[in-house]
């Protein structure tokens, strides 16, 4: 009896869809960068401290309670939802929780980008390459800070605006004003969502689509009004624009400066810029005005300020991926057919179970205290960068009087010691302003009348790196005594 050989199709529900795959890849990528994301600057500690304040008092802070240099002055709470979420994550799972929250937001961002690109007609393999490219370019600014929420909101806005432009379905735009309320209370870069609506308005006008121009214009107005629903109303938007106009403060902040292409971290950004020029040459046809505006304006923003690079990448890959697909369709139809076959498989796949298991593995290992990051350091503040040992050693003996602290350590000191300690300055330069920031620069560099400035603020002790010019001056001053020192931090107390 002849036996028939039966061929079975694999159960595609076991295969991860590419959207699920990129979620898992980005999540693990963020876990591997956890310590770097935490320690790249000193802001995380302040964000957790503010979130703890909200949890404890059930109030959103609108006056300063964190410094002794500007106590009681108006505080613009433009990140309070993100700070609350960071504090909740830290309370539940420690600093691991902060990294997991960051990883989840980043994963959702690039998974939504991939899913949105497919909905806009991009073949799944090309959407995967585009999303991974955006992640690689944007990873230069992956940090455990509120701006990660802007990446998520930005993708949602970008996909919704583009879908309406292509399909004229008004319902795609209806959720955006409600989302703007959340965005404006989560991170100050909510303005980028309004900029997107403005660019789509101008693009529709140049493309002579009067109906879409009116809709985008009305949406922009609705977004502006929605952004006013926050603890300080319209002042929030005015505050954001006012800060961008303060050249000294902007130049003082590293992330607001132009990218340094001598730094390998910016090479992916340079490659994407050059790739857009190369693709433009290959296509030899003009983009529609909206796409040209989006690509040109966000390229300029990325070149002007490094913090705009992740947003540029989200815009660029969506446009370049679409145009690259059109070029392949014309120049390499067999490749396009192969990609279409893979796209069909992706449409049948699911596989989130496996992705969930992989994510649970990473979370479980870190919960057990096993580091999964590239440095094997674990999600802790780096004692080489922050005064961890100094605070651990002196926690019970820290002077109760006013402190002068290293700028980048302000947030960490708030995280460890607030409310017992208030700081001279921390990373929120938009609050401290130019006057105190200049005074800080003068004192830390032991400039003219540094001691007069400390006396005016009644500073009784100092905690700074021993390599600072001020440290040398304090050591030889008869009015100050060093009471602690290690390779990272020195502590001086003013003699009576």
């Amino acid at each position: 009896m002849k036996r028939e050989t039966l061929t079975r199709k694999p159960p595609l529900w076991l295969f991860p869809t590419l959207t699920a795959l990129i979620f898992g890849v980005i999540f693990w990528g963020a876990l591997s960068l956890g310590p770097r994301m935490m320690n790249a600057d000193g802001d995380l500690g302040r964000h957790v401290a503010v979130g703890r304040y909200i949890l404890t008092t059930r109030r959103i802070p609108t006056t300063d309670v964190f410094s002794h240099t500007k106590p009681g002055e108006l505080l613009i709470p433009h990140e309070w939802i993100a700070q609350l979420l960071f504090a909740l994550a830290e309370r539940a799972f420690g600093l691991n929780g902060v990294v997991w929250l960051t990883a989840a937001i980043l994963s959702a961002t690039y998974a939504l980008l991939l899913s949105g690109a497919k909905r806009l007609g991009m073949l799944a393999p090309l959407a995967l390459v585009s999303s991974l490219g955006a992640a690689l370019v944007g990873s230069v600014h992956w940090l455990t800070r509120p701006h990660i929420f802007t990446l998520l909101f930005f993708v949602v806005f970008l996909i919704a605006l583009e879908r309406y432009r292509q399909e004229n379905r008004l319902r795609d735009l209806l959720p955006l004003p409600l989302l703007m309320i959340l965005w404006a209370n989560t991170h100050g870069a909510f303005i980028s969502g309004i900029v997107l609506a403005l660019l789509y308005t101008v693009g529709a006008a140049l493309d002579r689509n009067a109906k879409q121009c009116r809709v985008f214009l009305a949406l922009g107005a609705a977004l502006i009004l929605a952004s006013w629903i926050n603890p300080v109303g319209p002042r929030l938007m005015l505050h954001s624009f006012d800060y961008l106009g303060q050249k000294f403060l902007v130049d003082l902040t590293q992330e607001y400066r132009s990218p340094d292409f001598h730094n390998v971290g910016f090479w992916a950004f340079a490659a994407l810029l050059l790739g857009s020029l190369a693709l433009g040459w290959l296509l030899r046809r003009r983009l529609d005005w909206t796409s040209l505006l989006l690509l040109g304006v966000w390229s300029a923003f990325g070149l002007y300020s490094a913090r705009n690079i992740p947003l540029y990448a989200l815009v660029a890959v969506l446009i370049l991926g679409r145009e690259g697909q059109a070029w392949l369709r014309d120049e390499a139809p067999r490749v396009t057919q192969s990609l279409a076959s893979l796209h069909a498989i992706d449409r049948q796949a699911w596989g989130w179970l496996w992705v969930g298991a992989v994510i649970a593995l990473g979370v479980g290992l870190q919960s057990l205290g096993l580091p999964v990051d590239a440095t094997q350091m674990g999600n802790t503040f780096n004692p080489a960068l922050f005064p961890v040992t100094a605070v651990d050693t002196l926690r019970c003996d820290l002077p109760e009087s006013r402190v002068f602290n290293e700028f980048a350590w302000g947030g960490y000191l708030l995280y460890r010691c607030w409310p017992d300690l208030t700081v001279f300055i921390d990373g929120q330069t938009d609050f401290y302003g130019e006057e105190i920031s200049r005074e800080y620069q003068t004192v830390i560099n032991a400039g003219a009348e540094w001691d007069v400035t400390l006396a005016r603020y009644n500073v009784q002790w100092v905690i700074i790196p021993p390599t600072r010019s001020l440290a040398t001056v304090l050591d030889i001053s008869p009015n100050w005594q060093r009471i602690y020192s290690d390779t990272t931090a020195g502590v001086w107390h003013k003699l009576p």
Side-chain angles (χ1 to χ4, degrees), residues 53-109:
Y53 173 88
I54 297 172
L55 288 173
T56 302
T57 64
R58 301 293 191 271
R59 292 192 300 110
I60 301 167
T62 55
T63 55
D64 178 54
V65 295
F66 302 102
S67 79
H68 63 78
T69 47
K70 299 187 72 171
E73 294 202 21
L74 175 66
L75 186 67
I76 303 294
H78 52 78
E79 300 169 325
W80 70 270
I81 291 180
Q83 291 166 332
L84 177 61
L85 293 174
F86 279 138
L88 286 170
E90 193 268 345
R91 174 180 287 188
F93 305 107
L95 292 173
N96 280 338
V98 174
V99 172
W100 298 342
L101 173 61
T102 302
I105 297 299
L106 291 172
S107 301
T109 297

Side-chain angles (χ1 to χ4, degrees), residues 347-394:
R347 290 186 64 181
Q348 301 175 59
W350 187 70
W352 279 93
L353 180 64
W354 293 106
V355 175
V358 169
I359 291 172
L361 174 63
V363 170
L365 289 173
Q366 289 195 328
S367 298
L368 295 173
L370 301 174
V372 300
D373 58 273
T375 62
Q376 296 293 290
M377 172 182 161
N379 297 320
T380 60
F381 284 103
N382 188 343
L385 301 175
F386 295 97
V388 177
T389 308
V391 174
D392 286 343
T393 303
L394 298 175

Side-chain angles (χ1 to χ4, degrees), residues 282-304:
L282 287 172
L283 291 174
R284 297 182 182 179
R285 63 182 177 84
R286 186 177 69 84
L287 291 176
D288 59 81
W289 276 109
T290 300
S291 298
L292 190 61
L293 277 173
L294 288 170
L295 193 58
V297 169
W298 284 103
S299 296
F301 285 169
L303 289 168
Y304 180 76

Side-chain angles (χ1 to χ4, degrees), residues 247-480:
K247 188 177 186 303
F248 175 79
L249 296 180
V250 170
D251 291 345
L252 190 65
T253 306
Q254 181 69 35
E255 66 192 48
Y256 279 99
R257 300 174 188 171
S258 298
D260 177 8
F261 290 107
H262 292 279
N263 184 334
V264 68
F266 294 112
W267 288 4
F269 171 51
L272 188 56
L273 284 171
L274 294 173
S276 65
L277 294 175
L279 184 59
W281 180 82
L282 287 172
L283 291 174
R284 297 182 182 179
R285 63 182 177 84
R286 186 177 69 84
L287 291 176
D288 59 81
W289 276 109
T290 300
S291 298
L292 190 61
L293 277 173
L294 288 170
L295 193 58
V297 169
W298 284 103
S299 296
F301 285 169
L303 289 168
Y304 180 76
S305 175
R307 67 177 291 145
N308 293 322
I309 289 175
L311 301 182
Y312 156 77
L314 297 172
V315 170
V317 300
L318 198 62
I319 297 172
L320 299 180
R322 181 190 67 210
E323 298 300 324
Q325 179 171 299
W327 180 80
L328 282 175
R329 185 180 61 242
D330 296 336
E331 302 294 331
R334 290 187 178 180
V335 174
T336 301
Q337 289 177 1
S338 299
L339 294 177
S341 299
L342 294 174
H343 180 83
I345 294 173
D346 179 70
R347 290 186 64 181
Q348 301 175 59
W350 187 70
W352 279 93
L353 180 64
W354 293 106
V355 175
V358 169
I359 291 172
L361 174 63
V363 170
L365 289 173
Q366 289 195 328
S367 298
L368 295 173
L370 301 174
V372 300
D373 58 273
T375 62
Q376 296 293 290
M377 172 182 161
N379 297 320
T380 60
F381 284 103
N382 188 343
L385 301 175
F386 295 97
V388 177
T389 308
V391 174
D392 286 343
T393 303
L394 298 175
R395 185 66 188 268
C396 297
D397 298 315
L398 284 174
E400 296 180 358
S401 48
R402 293 183 174 184
V403 64
F404 177 86
N405 58 276
E406 174 75 7
F407 171 82
W409 293 354
Y412 178 78
L413 293 172
L414 291 173
Y415 171 74
R416 292 293 306 274
C417 304
W418 189 86
D420 297 329
L421 174 147
T422 55
V423 297
F424 185 95
I425 196 170
D426 59 61
Q428 195 171 0
T429 50
D430 61 316
F431 168 70
Y432 290 96
E434 183 172 338
E435 181 180 353
I436 289 180
S437 297
R438 286 188 179 277
E439 288 178 329
Y440 165 80
Q441 291 288 336
T442 297
V443 174
I444 199 71
N445 294 315
E449 299 188 339
W450 63 269
D451 51 343
V452 174
T453 301
L454 293 184
R456 186 166 71 253
Y457 288 104
N458 195 26
V459 168
Q460 299 296 309
W461 66 287
V462 173
I463 179 168
I464 58 173
T467 54
R468 287 290 200 176
S469 299
L470 179 62
T472 303
V473 173
L474 291 174
D475 277 336
I476 63 176
S477 172
N479 299 320
W480 292 85

